[in-house]
PDB file of all heavy atoms in Angstrom:
ATOM      1  N   LYS A 260      16.586 -67.822  65.643  1.00 86.00           N
ATOM      2  CA  LYS A 260      16.175 -66.511  66.168  1.00 86.00           C
ATOM      3  C   LYS A 260      14.906 -66.034  65.465  1.00 86.00           C
ATOM      4  O   LYS A 260      14.025 -65.445  66.090  1.00 86.00           O
ATOM      5  CB  LYS A 260      17.285 -65.479  65.969  1.00 86.00           C
ATOM      6  CG  LYS A 260      18.423 -65.608  66.934  1.00 86.00           C
ATOM      7  CD  LYS A 260      19.401 -64.475  66.728  1.00 86.00           C
ATOM      8  CE  LYS A 260      20.557 -64.584  67.678  1.00 86.00           C
ATOM      9  NZ  LYS A 260      21.508 -63.477  67.514  1.00 86.00           N
ATOM     10  N   GLU A 261      14.836 -66.284  64.174  1.00 86.00           N
ATOM     11  CA  GLU A 261      13.662 -65.859  63.406  1.00 86.00           C
ATOM     12  C   GLU A 261      12.399 -66.561  63.891  1.00 86.00           C
ATOM     13  O   GLU A 261      11.360 -65.941  64.068  1.00 86.00           O
ATOM     14  CB  GLU A 261      13.878 -66.129  61.907  1.00 86.00           C
ATOM     15  CG  GLU A 261      12.777 -65.596  61.022  1.00 86.00           C
ATOM     16  CD  GLU A 261      12.593 -64.079  61.132  1.00 86.00           C
ATOM     17  OE1 GLU A 261      13.582 -63.358  61.301  1.00 86.00           O
ATOM     18  OE2 GLU A 261      11.434 -63.649  61.057  1.00 86.00           O
ATOM     19  N   LYS A 262      12.486 -67.839  64.154  1.00 86.00           N
ATOM     20  CA  LYS A 262      11.330 -68.601  64.641  1.00 86.00           C
ATOM     21  C   LYS A 262      10.936 -68.116  66.044  1.00 86.00           C
ATOM     22  O   LYS A 262       9.746 -67.970  66.344  1.00 86.00           O
ATOM     23  CB  LYS A 262      11.654 -70.097  64.662  1.00 86.00           C
ATOM     24  CG  LYS A 262      10.485 -70.975  64.994  1.00 86.00           C
ATOM     25  CD  LYS A 262       9.405 -70.873  63.943  1.00 86.00           C
ATOM     26  CE  LYS A 262       8.295 -71.862  64.211  1.00 86.00           C
ATOM     27  NZ  LYS A 262       7.204 -71.731  63.273  1.00 86.00           N
ATOM     28  N   ALA A 263      11.923 -67.851  66.891  1.00 85.00           N
ATOM     29  CA  ALA A 263      11.651 -67.341  68.239  1.00 85.00           C
ATOM     30  C   ALA A 263      10.956 -65.977  68.158  1.00 85.00           C
ATOM     31  O   ALA A 263      10.015 -65.699  68.907  1.00 85.00           O
ATOM     32  CB  ALA A 263      12.945 -67.230  69.040  1.00 85.00           C
ATOM     33  N   LYS A 264      11.405 -65.144  67.236  1.00 86.00           N
ATOM     34  CA  LYS A 264      10.795 -63.829  67.052  1.00 86.00           C
ATOM     35  C   LYS A 264       9.347 -63.969  66.584  1.00 86.00           C
ATOM     36  O   LYS A 264       8.463 -63.260  67.066  1.00 86.00           O
ATOM     37  CB  LYS A 264      11.607 -63.023  66.035  1.00 86.00           C
ATOM     38  CG  LYS A 264      11.123 -61.625  65.848  1.00 86.00           C
ATOM     39  CD  LYS A 264      12.016 -60.869  64.872  1.00 86.00           C
ATOM     40  CE  LYS A 264      11.493 -59.480  64.641  1.00 86.00           C
ATOM     41  NZ  LYS A 264      12.337 -58.721  63.710  1.00 86.00           N
ATOM     42  N   GLN A 265       9.089 -64.893  65.680  1.00 87.00           N
ATOM     43  CA  GLN A 265       7.730 -65.135  65.189  1.00 87.00           C
ATOM     44  C   GLN A 265       6.806 -65.596  66.321  1.00 87.00           C
ATOM     45  O   GLN A 265       5.674 -65.138  66.443  1.00 87.00           O
ATOM     46  CB  GLN A 265       7.741 -66.178  64.076  1.00 87.00           C
ATOM     47  CG  GLN A 265       8.308 -65.700  62.773  1.00 87.00           C
ATOM     48  CD  GLN A 265       8.432 -66.818  61.749  1.00 87.00           C
ATOM     49  OE1 GLN A 265       8.202 -67.984  62.045  1.00 87.00           O
ATOM     50  NE2 GLN A 265       8.797 -66.444  60.536  1.00 87.00           N
ATOM     51  N   VAL A 266       7.303 -66.481  67.162  1.00 86.00           N
ATOM     52  CA  VAL A 266       6.521 -66.996  68.278  1.00 86.00           C
ATOM     53  C   VAL A 266       6.225 -65.872  69.277  1.00 86.00           C
ATOM     54  O   VAL A 266       5.085 -65.711  69.729  1.00 86.00           O
ATOM     55  CB  VAL A 266       7.245 -68.180  68.966  1.00 86.00           C
ATOM     56  CG1 VAL A 266       6.559 -68.553  70.271  1.00 86.00           C
ATOM     57  CG2 VAL A 266       7.301 -69.383  68.031  1.00 86.00           C
ATOM     58  N   ALA A 267       7.235 -65.090  69.619  1.00 85.00           N
ATOM     59  CA  ALA A 267       7.062 -63.989  70.563  1.00 85.00           C
ATOM     60  C   ALA A 267       6.078 -62.953  70.022  1.00 85.00           C
ATOM     61  O   ALA A 267       5.209 -62.467  70.745  1.00 85.00           O
ATOM     62  CB  ALA A 267       8.412 -63.333  70.865  1.00 85.00           C
ATOM     63  N   THR A 268       6.197 -62.639  68.746  1.00 86.00           N
ATOM     64  CA  THR A 268       5.288 -61.681  68.121  1.00 86.00           C
ATOM     65  C   THR A 268       3.854 -62.193  68.172  1.00 86.00           C
ATOM     66  O   THR A 268       2.927 -61.447  68.502  1.00 86.00           O
ATOM     67  CB  THR A 268       5.710 -61.419  66.658  1.00 86.00           C
ATOM     68  OG1 THR A 268       7.031 -60.894  66.653  1.00 86.00           O
ATOM     69  CG2 THR A 268       4.775 -60.432  65.985  1.00 86.00           C
ATOM     70  N   LYS A 269       3.677 -63.453  67.878  1.00 86.00           N
ATOM     71  CA  LYS A 269       2.342 -64.050  67.896  1.00 86.00           C
ATOM     72  C   LYS A 269       1.757 -64.029  69.309  1.00 86.00           C
ATOM     73  O   LYS A 269       0.575 -63.728  69.500  1.00 86.00           O
ATOM     74  CB  LYS A 269       2.405 -65.485  67.361  1.00 86.00           C
ATOM     75  CG  LYS A 269       1.074 -66.123  67.140  1.00 86.00           C
ATOM     76  CD  LYS A 269       0.338 -65.436  66.019  1.00 86.00           C
ATOM     77  CE  LYS A 269      -0.967 -66.149  65.740  1.00 86.00           C
ATOM     78  NZ  LYS A 269      -1.822 -65.406  64.850  1.00 86.00           N
ATOM     79  N   LEU A 270       2.577 -64.318  70.307  1.00 86.00           N
ATOM     80  CA  LEU A 270       2.108 -64.328  71.690  1.00 86.00           C
ATOM     81  C   LEU A 270       1.729 -62.930  72.183  1.00 86.00           C
ATOM     82  O   LEU A 270       0.793 -62.770  72.956  1.00 86.00           O
ATOM     83  CB  LEU A 270       3.175 -64.932  72.611  1.00 86.00           C
ATOM     84  CG  LEU A 270       3.423 -66.432  72.465  1.00 86.00           C
ATOM     85  CD1 LEU A 270       4.633 -66.852  73.289  1.00 86.00           C
ATOM     86  CD2 LEU A 270       2.193 -67.226  72.881  1.00 86.00           C
ATOM     87  N   LEU A 271       2.452 -61.924  71.731  1.00 89.00           N
ATOM     88  CA  LEU A 271       2.238 -60.560  72.203  1.00 89.00           C
ATOM     89  C   LEU A 271       1.242 -59.764  71.355  1.00 89.00           C
ATOM     90  O   LEU A 271       0.817 -58.686  71.748  1.00 89.00           O
ATOM     91  CB  LEU A 271       3.558 -59.802  72.249  1.00 89.00           C
ATOM     92  CG  LEU A 271       4.558 -60.275  73.303  1.00 89.00           C
ATOM     93  CD1 LEU A 271       5.866 -59.523  73.159  1.00 89.00           C
ATOM     94  CD2 LEU A 271       3.990 -60.091  74.687  1.00 89.00           C
ATOM     95  N   GLU A 272       0.866 -60.301  70.221  1.00 89.00           N
ATOM     96  CA  GLU A 272       0.009 -59.593  69.278  1.00 89.00           C
ATOM     97  C   GLU A 272      -1.288 -59.079  69.923  1.00 89.00           C
ATOM     98  O   GLU A 272      -1.638 -57.905  69.804  1.00 89.00           O
ATOM     99  CB  GLU A 272      -0.328 -60.536  68.119  1.00 89.00           C
ATOM    100  CG  GLU A 272      -0.709 -59.878  66.844  1.00 89.00           C
ATOM    101  CD  GLU A 272      -0.777 -60.908  65.729  1.00 89.00           C
ATOM    102  OE1 GLU A 272      -1.779 -61.634  65.662  1.00 89.00           O
ATOM    103  OE2 GLU A 272       0.174 -60.971  64.935  1.00 89.00           O
ATOM    104  N   LYS A 273      -1.986 -59.931  70.625  1.00 87.00           N
ATOM    105  CA  LYS A 273      -3.251 -59.557  71.245  1.00 87.00           C
ATOM    106  C   LYS A 273      -3.030 -58.506  72.333  1.00 87.00           C
ATOM    107  O   LYS A 273      -3.771 -57.526  72.437  1.00 87.00           O
ATOM    108  CB  LYS A 273      -3.933 -60.786  71.836  1.00 87.00           C
ATOM    109  CG  LYS A 273      -5.278 -60.495  72.439  1.00 87.00           C
ATOM    110  CD  LYS A 273      -5.940 -61.734  72.995  1.00 87.00           C
ATOM    111  CE  LYS A 273      -7.249 -61.379  73.674  1.00 87.00           C
ATOM    112  NZ  LYS A 273      -7.829 -62.483  74.399  1.00 87.00           N
ATOM    113  N   LYS A 274      -2.003 -58.693  73.160  1.00 88.00           N
ATOM    114  CA  LYS A 274      -1.717 -57.757  74.246  1.00 88.00           C
ATOM    115  C   LYS A 274      -1.345 -56.378  73.691  1.00 88.00           C
ATOM    116  O   LYS A 274      -1.796 -55.357  74.202  1.00 88.00           O
ATOM    117  CB  LYS A 274      -0.583 -58.303  75.120  1.00 88.00           C
ATOM    118  CG  LYS A 274      -0.301 -57.494  76.354  1.00 88.00           C
ATOM    119  CD  LYS A 274      -1.471 -57.363  77.288  1.00 88.00           C
ATOM    120  CE  LYS A 274      -1.684 -58.610  78.075  1.00 88.00           C
ATOM    121  NZ  LYS A 274      -2.792 -58.512  79.025  1.00 88.00           N
ATOM    122  N   LEU A 275      -0.553 -56.338  72.620  1.00 89.00           N
ATOM    123  CA  LEU A 275      -0.183 -55.058  72.018  1.00 89.00           C
ATOM    124  C   LEU A 275      -1.407 -54.345  71.445  1.00 89.00           C
ATOM    125  O   LEU A 275      -1.527 -53.124  71.553  1.00 89.00           O
ATOM    126  CB  LEU A 275       0.869 -55.271  70.924  1.00 89.00           C
ATOM    127  CG  LEU A 275       2.256 -55.673  71.431  1.00 89.00           C
ATOM    128  CD1 LEU A 275       3.180 -55.992  70.261  1.00 89.00           C
ATOM    129  CD2 LEU A 275       2.858 -54.587  72.290  1.00 89.00           C
ATOM    130  N   ALA A 276      -2.324 -55.090  70.868  1.00 90.00           N
ATOM    131  CA  ALA A 276      -3.556 -54.502  70.350  1.00 90.00           C
ATOM    132  C   ALA A 276      -4.392 -53.919  71.489  1.00 90.00           C
ATOM    133  O   ALA A 276      -4.974 -52.840  71.353  1.00 90.00           O
ATOM    134  CB  ALA A 276      -4.355 -55.547  69.576  1.00 90.00           C
ATOM    135  N   GLU A 277      -4.434 -54.614  72.631  1.00 91.00           N
ATOM    136  CA  GLU A 277      -5.170 -54.116  73.795  1.00 91.00           C
ATOM    137  C   GLU A 277      -4.539 -52.836  74.335  1.00 91.00           C
ATOM    138  O   GLU A 277      -5.245 -51.898  74.720  1.00 91.00           O
ATOM    139  CB  GLU A 277      -5.214 -55.175  74.894  1.00 91.00           C
ATOM    140  CG  GLU A 277      -6.092 -56.364  74.562  1.00 91.00           C
ATOM    141  CD  GLU A 277      -6.009 -57.476  75.607  1.00 91.00           C
ATOM    142  OE1 GLU A 277      -5.242 -57.328  76.589  1.00 91.00           O
ATOM    143  OE2 GLU A 277      -6.683 -58.483  75.419  1.00 91.00           O
ATOM    144  N   VAL A 278      -3.213 -52.779  74.369  1.00 91.00           N
ATOM    145  CA  VAL A 278      -2.503 -51.586  74.845  1.00 91.00           C
ATOM    146  C   VAL A 278      -2.794 -50.401  73.920  1.00 91.00           C
ATOM    147  O   VAL A 278      -3.097 -49.298  74.383  1.00 91.00           O
ATOM    148  CB  VAL A 278      -0.980 -51.856  74.941  1.00 91.00           C
ATOM    149  CG1 VAL A 278      -0.208 -50.555  75.150  1.00 91.00           C
ATOM    150  CG2 VAL A 278      -0.687 -52.836  76.061  1.00 91.00           C
ATOM    151  N   LYS A 279      -2.735 -50.629  72.603  1.00 91.00           N
ATOM    152  CA  LYS A 279      -3.018 -49.554  71.651  1.00 91.00           C
ATOM    153  C   LYS A 279      -4.447 -49.057  71.800  1.00 91.00           C
ATOM    154  O   LYS A 279      -4.714 -47.860  71.731  1.00 91.00           O
ATOM    155  CB  LYS A 279      -2.766 -50.026  70.219  1.00 91.00           C
ATOM    156  CG  LYS A 279      -1.313 -50.092  69.860  1.00 91.00           C
ATOM    157  CD  LYS A 279      -1.118 -50.467  68.416  1.00 91.00           C
ATOM    158  CE  LYS A 279       0.363 -50.511  68.084  1.00 91.00           C
ATOM    159  NZ  LYS A 279       0.611 -50.792  66.681  1.00 91.00           N
ATOM    160  N   GLU A 280      -5.386 -49.971  72.004  1.00 92.00           N
ATOM    161  CA  GLU A 280      -6.793 -49.586  72.182  1.00 92.00           C
ATOM    162  C   GLU A 280      -6.972 -48.773  73.462  1.00 92.00           C
ATOM    163  O   GLU A 280      -7.706 -47.782  73.473  1.00 92.00           O
ATOM    164  CB  GLU A 280      -7.682 -50.832  72.206  1.00 92.00           C
ATOM    165  CG  GLU A 280      -9.156 -50.533  72.293  1.00 92.00           C
ATOM    166  CD  GLU A 280      -9.708 -49.749  71.118  1.00 92.00           C
ATOM    167  OE1 GLU A 280      -9.152 -49.834  69.999  1.00 92.00           O
ATOM    168  OE2 GLU A 280     -10.705 -49.030  71.315  1.00 92.00           O
ATOM    169  N   ALA A 281      -6.287 -49.151  74.533  1.00 93.00           N
ATOM    170  CA  ALA A 281      -6.373 -48.400  75.795  1.00 93.00           C
ATOM    171  C   ALA A 281      -5.803 -46.992  75.621  1.00 93.00           C
ATOM    172  O   ALA A 281      -6.376 -46.016  76.113  1.00 93.00           O
ATOM    173  CB  ALA A 281      -5.638 -49.147  76.908  1.00 93.00           C
ATOM    174  N   GLU A 282      -4.677 -46.877  74.920  1.00 92.00           N
ATOM    175  CA  GLU A 282      -4.082 -45.561  74.656  1.00 92.00           C
ATOM    176  C   GLU A 282      -5.019 -44.706  73.809  1.00 92.00           C
ATOM    177  O   GLU A 282      -5.164 -43.509  74.049  1.00 92.00           O
ATOM    178  CB  GLU A 282      -2.739 -45.723  73.950  1.00 92.00           C
ATOM    179  CG  GLU A 282      -1.662 -46.305  74.848  1.00 92.00           C
ATOM    180  CD  GLU A 282      -0.397 -46.683  74.091  1.00 92.00           C
ATOM    181  OE1 GLU A 282      -0.404 -46.690  72.827  1.00 92.00           O
ATOM    182  OE2 GLU A 282       0.607 -46.984  74.757  1.00 92.00           O
ATOM    183  N   LYS A 283      -5.664 -45.327  72.839  1.00 92.00           N
ATOM    184  CA  LYS A 283      -6.606 -44.622  71.972  1.00 92.00           C
ATOM    185  C   LYS A 283      -7.789 -44.084  72.781  1.00 92.00           C
ATOM    186  O   LYS A 283      -8.212 -42.940  72.590  1.00 92.00           O
ATOM    187  CB  LYS A 283      -7.102 -45.578  70.883  1.00 92.00           C
ATOM    188  CG  LYS A 283      -8.059 -44.978  69.905  1.00 92.00           C
ATOM    189  CD  LYS A 283      -8.434 -46.038  68.859  1.00 92.00           C
ATOM    190  CE  LYS A 283      -9.633 -45.620  68.051  1.00 92.00           C
ATOM    191  NZ  LYS A 283     -10.046 -46.667  67.120  1.00 92.00           N
ATOM    192  N   LYS A 284      -8.294 -44.881  73.714  1.00 93.00           N
ATOM    193  CA  LYS A 284      -9.411 -44.440  74.548  1.00 93.00           C
ATOM    194  C   LYS A 284      -9.025 -43.227  75.382  1.00 93.00           C
ATOM    195  O   LYS A 284      -9.821 -42.300  75.559  1.00 93.00           O
ATOM    196  CB  LYS A 284      -9.895 -45.576  75.450  1.00 93.00           C
ATOM    197  CG  LYS A 284     -10.695 -46.618  74.705  1.00 93.00           C
ATOM    198  CD  LYS A 284     -11.168 -47.703  75.636  1.00 93.00           C
ATOM    199  CE  LYS A 284     -11.960 -48.747  74.857  1.00 93.00           C
ATOM    200  NZ  LYS A 284     -12.428 -49.835  75.706  1.00 93.00           N
ATOM    201  N   ILE A 285      -7.799 -43.216  75.908  1.00 92.00           N
ATOM    202  CA  ILE A 285      -7.319 -42.070  76.692  1.00 92.00           C
ATOM    203  C   ILE A 285      -7.260 -40.830  75.806  1.00 92.00           C
ATOM    204  O   ILE A 285      -7.737 -39.760  76.185  1.00 92.00           O
ATOM    205  CB  ILE A 285      -5.946 -42.366  77.330  1.00 92.00           C
ATOM    206  CG1 ILE A 285      -6.089 -43.448  78.409  1.00 92.00           C
ATOM    207  CG2 ILE A 285      -5.334 -41.094  77.914  1.00 92.00           C
ATOM    208  CD1 ILE A 285      -4.777 -44.000  78.910  1.00 92.00           C
ATOM    209  N   ARG A 286      -6.670 -40.959  74.595  1.00 90.00           N
ATOM    210  CA  ARG A 286      -6.562 -39.807  73.693  1.00 90.00           C
ATOM    211  C   ARG A 286      -7.941 -39.248  73.323  1.00 90.00           C
ATOM    212  O   ARG A 286      -8.143 -38.041  73.305  1.00 90.00           O
ATOM    213  CB  ARG A 286      -5.782 -40.182  72.439  1.00 90.00           C
ATOM    214  CG  ARG A 286      -4.293 -40.301  72.667  1.00 90.00           C
ATOM    215  CD  ARG A 286      -3.524 -40.351  71.371  1.00 90.00           C
ATOM    216  NE  ARG A 286      -3.939 -41.438  70.504  1.00 90.00           N
ATOM    217  CZ  ARG A 286      -3.452 -42.671  70.536  1.00 90.00           C
ATOM    218  NH1 ARG A 286      -2.519 -42.984  71.405  1.00 90.00           N
ATOM    219  NH2 ARG A 286      -3.892 -43.589  69.700  1.00 90.00           N
ATOM    220  N   PHE A 287      -8.890 -40.129  73.017  1.00 91.00           N
ATOM    221  CA  PHE A 287     -10.226 -39.670  72.645  1.00 91.00           C
ATOM    222  C   PHE A 287     -10.930 -39.012  73.832  1.00 91.00           C
ATOM    223  O   PHE A 287     -11.662 -38.034  73.664  1.00 91.00           O
ATOM    224  CB  PHE A 287     -11.065 -40.825  72.084  1.00 91.00           C
ATOM    225  CG  PHE A 287     -10.823 -41.062  70.617  1.00 91.00           C
ATOM    226  CD1 PHE A 287      -9.749 -41.819  70.187  1.00 91.00           C
ATOM    227  CD2 PHE A 287     -11.669 -40.512  69.671  1.00 91.00           C
ATOM    228  CE1 PHE A 287      -9.519 -42.040  68.840  1.00 91.00           C
ATOM    229  CE2 PHE A 287     -11.454 -40.722  68.316  1.00 91.00           C
ATOM    230  CZ  PHE A 287     -10.372 -41.482  67.892  1.00 91.00           C
ATOM    231  N   PHE A 288     -10.713 -39.532  75.034  1.00 92.00           N
ATOM    232  CA  PHE A 288     -11.295 -38.946  76.236  1.00 92.00           C
ATOM    233  C   PHE A 288     -10.761 -37.529  76.445  1.00 92.00           C
ATOM    234  O   PHE A 288     -11.524 -36.592  76.692  1.00 92.00           O
ATOM    235  CB  PHE A 288     -11.005 -39.834  77.447  1.00 92.00           C
ATOM    236  CG  PHE A 288     -11.498 -39.284  78.747  1.00 92.00           C
ATOM    237  CD1 PHE A 288     -12.853 -39.219  79.021  1.00 92.00           C
ATOM    238  CD2 PHE A 288     -10.608 -38.831  79.700  1.00 92.00           C
ATOM    239  CE1 PHE A 288     -13.317 -38.706  80.220  1.00 92.00           C
ATOM    240  CE2 PHE A 288     -11.061 -38.324  80.907  1.00 92.00           C
ATOM    241  CZ  PHE A 288     -12.420 -38.255  81.161  1.00 92.00           C
ATOM    242  N   ILE A 289      -9.443 -37.350  76.339  1.00 90.00           N
ATOM    243  CA  ILE A 289      -8.820 -36.039  76.510  1.00 90.00           C
ATOM    244  C   ILE A 289      -9.314 -35.088  75.421  1.00 90.00           C
ATOM    245  O   ILE A 289      -9.622 -33.923  75.684  1.00 90.00           O
ATOM    246  CB  ILE A 289      -7.277 -36.147  76.478  1.00 90.00           C
ATOM    247  CG1 ILE A 289      -6.761 -37.060  77.602  1.00 90.00           C
ATOM    248  CG2 ILE A 289      -6.630 -34.758  76.545  1.00 90.00           C
ATOM    249  CD1 ILE A 289      -7.248 -36.720  78.974  1.00 90.00           C
ATOM    250  N   THR A 290      -9.406 -35.571  74.198  1.00 87.00           N
ATOM    251  CA  THR A 290      -9.886 -34.750  73.090  1.00 87.00           C
ATOM    252  C   THR A 290     -11.308 -34.269  73.347  1.00 87.00           C
ATOM    253  O   THR A 290     -11.632 -33.100  73.121  1.00 87.00           O
ATOM    254  CB  THR A 290      -9.828 -35.540  71.771  1.00 87.00           C
ATOM    255  OG1 THR A 290      -8.476 -35.940  71.534  1.00 87.00           O
ATOM    256  CG2 THR A 290     -10.316 -34.701  70.595  1.00 87.00           C
ATOM    257  N   ASP A 291     -12.148 -35.154  73.836  1.00 89.00           N
ATOM    258  CA  ASP A 291     -13.532 -34.793  74.122  1.00 89.00           C
ATOM    259  C   ASP A 291     -13.607 -33.689  75.175  1.00 89.00           C
ATOM    260  O   ASP A 291     -14.341 -32.710  75.014  1.00 89.00           O
ATOM    261  CB  ASP A 291     -14.306 -36.032  74.578  1.00 89.00           C
ATOM    262  CG  ASP A 291     -15.783 -35.758  74.744  1.00 89.00           C
ATOM    263  OD1 ASP A 291     -16.404 -35.236  73.797  1.00 89.00           O
ATOM    264  OD2 ASP A 291     -16.319 -36.068  75.819  1.00 89.00           O
ATOM    265  N   ILE A 292     -12.833 -33.823  76.241  1.00 89.00           N
ATOM    266  CA  ILE A 292     -12.806 -32.790  77.287  1.00 89.00           C
ATOM    267  C   ILE A 292     -12.299 -31.470  76.705  1.00 89.00           C
ATOM    268  O   ILE A 292     -12.864 -30.408  76.952  1.00 89.00           O
ATOM    269  CB  ILE A 292     -11.922 -33.213  78.477  1.00 89.00           C
ATOM    270  CG1 ILE A 292     -12.515 -34.422  79.186  1.00 89.00           C
ATOM    271  CG2 ILE A 292     -11.759 -32.066  79.469  1.00 89.00           C
ATOM    272  CD1 ILE A 292     -11.594 -35.005  80.238  1.00 89.00           C
ATOM    273  N   ALA A 293     -11.229 -31.536  75.913  1.00 85.00           N
ATOM    274  CA  ALA A 293     -10.644 -30.324  75.339  1.00 85.00           C
ATOM    275  C   ALA A 293     -11.639 -29.628  74.415  1.00 85.00           C
ATOM    276  O   ALA A 293     -11.795 -28.405  74.465  1.00 85.00           O
ATOM    277  CB  ALA A 293      -9.365 -30.669  74.582  1.00 85.00           C
ATOM    278  N   LYS A 294     -12.333 -30.397  73.597  1.00 83.00           N
ATOM    279  CA  LYS A 294     -13.301 -29.807  72.671  1.00 83.00           C
ATOM    280  C   LYS A 294     -14.442 -29.133  73.414  1.00 83.00           C
ATOM    281  O   LYS A 294     -14.903 -28.061  73.012  1.00 83.00           O
ATOM    282  CB  LYS A 294     -13.845 -30.879  71.729  1.00 83.00           C
ATOM    283  CG  LYS A 294     -12.843 -31.312  70.663  1.00 83.00           C
ATOM    284  CD  LYS A 294     -13.358 -32.470  69.850  1.00 83.00           C
ATOM    285  CE  LYS A 294     -14.494 -32.065  68.971  1.00 83.00           C
ATOM    286  NZ  LYS A 294     -14.942 -33.153  68.086  1.00 83.00           N
TER     287      LYS A 294
END
C-alpha cells in the first residue's frame, strides 16, 4: 500500500500543483477587482 501511495502521489504531483496555481490565479484576480 505504501508503494502504491508513493506512485499515486508522484503521478498526481504535477496536476495538484497546476490546480493550486489555477486557484491562486482566481484569488489574485478577485483580490485585484476588490481592491
